[in-house]
Amino acid sequence: MIATVLLVTHIAAGSVALVAALVALVTAKGGRIHVLAGRVYAIGMTLIFLTAIPLAIFGASIFLLLIAIFSFYLVFAGWRFARNRSRRPQPVDWLAAAIMGLTGLGMWVYAGVLATTGGGNWVTLVAFGFIAVALSVADGLFFNQGRGTRRRPAPHLRIQRHLTNMMAGTIATVTAVMVVNVSMDPVWVPWLLPTIVITPLIVWWNVRTARQARPSTSSG
């Protein structure tokens, strides 16, 4: 009964998060609708995380547990970058980035286990492990620029980190929908296809943000 309630809540939260993500993507950045959609998305993804953890434990699925932590960090970090206009890292930011990095390393370890036991999703964990470590390092470097008495990172860098993490979180949401509804061979294809398709958009968005900010990068 508990598992059923968790699953229904998990699916409902995922549906709401997906719609909210799409609204946030197509509305003016920083506008009222965009901000509201972002909040709804963050709440939906938090519910997904809170229900995914016990579901993974009940199902004894290390794979899903790692994916749940990985996906939640993306949204949590994206939300923190949106809120933290001072660009000064807090202990929770460092802790979250460290957990993300360790999750990436855990993905590589478990990928080795799956590879030796015939589990096809070892490819998924290798790829997501690289993403987890890369984002952890990138976010950590941003935090390092803003700690102590050092000069704070340029404002547009905060926006880039926000966009990167939120878009990556959107990829995670789309991936979940695709994995549930689409069957492909090999098994890792639906897990990685959204990442392959949407990542170039993240790169383009970061380049665009950097170009738009060039005249004002000297601001503190």
Side-chain angles (χ1 to χ4, degrees):
M1 182 65 181
I2 295 176
T4 301
V5 172
L6 288 172
L7 183 59
V8 171
T9 304
H10 185 82
I11 295 173
S15 300
V16 171
L18 181 60
V19 173
L22 294 176
V23 172
L25 284 173
V26 301
T27 53
K29 305 303 173 281
R32 181 180 178 185
I33 297 178
H34 176 82
V35 172
L36 179 59
R39 289 174 180 171
V40 172
Y41 175 68
I43 292 172
M45 290 298 289
T46 300
L47 286 174
I48 290 173
F49 173 71
L50 293 176
T51 53
I53 295 299
L55 285 172
I57 294 174
F58 289 158
S61 176
I62 297 176
F63 176 81
L64 292 180
L65 181 63
L66 291 169
I67 295 296
I69 298 172
F70 170 81
S71 301
F72 181 67
Y73 173 80
L74 300 174
V75 179
F76 175 79
W79 174 76
R80 283 290 300 153
F81 283 119
R83 297 283 295 176
N84 188 11
R85 295 181 181 275
S86 71
R87 309 188 296 284
R88 301 283 191 198
Q90 301 299 316
V92 67
D93 299 313
W94 287 106
L95 177 62
I99 291 175
M100 181 62 154
L102 291 174
T103 300
L105 297 178
M107 286 179 168
W108 287 338
V109 172
Y110 195 57
V113 174
L114 291 182
T116 58
T117 58
N121 260 327
W122 69 270
V123 178
T124 301
L125 290 180
V126 169
F128 282 10
F130 274 109
I131 295 173
V133 172
L135 286 177
S136 174
V137 171
D139 291 348
L141 290 174
F142 178 92
F143 298 148
N144 190 57
Q145 293 181 56
R147 68 185 179 87
T149 58
R150 295 186 179 190
R151 178 181 174 84
R152 288 178 293 173
H156 79 279
L157 296 178
R158 178 182 68 87
I159 301 300
Q160 286 182 324
R161 300 315 309 153
H162 167 67
L163 288 172
T164 296
N165 281 283
M166 281 301 198
M167 285 293 292
T170 301
I171 291 176
T173 308
V174 173
T175 299
V177 173
M178 190 168 185
V179 167
V180 171
N181 295 283
V182 179
S183 178
M184 292 185 180
D185 191 33
V187 68
W188 50 264
V189 171
W191 282 97
L192 295 182
L193 189 58
T195 298
I196 295 171
V197 173
I198 301 177
T199 296
L201 177 60
I202 298 177
V203 174
W204 172 81
W205 219 326
N206 274 282
V207 172
R208 181 170 176 265
T209 301
R211 288 176 176 173
Q212 291 177 338
R214 278 177 184 172
S216 60
T217 52
S218 61
S219 59

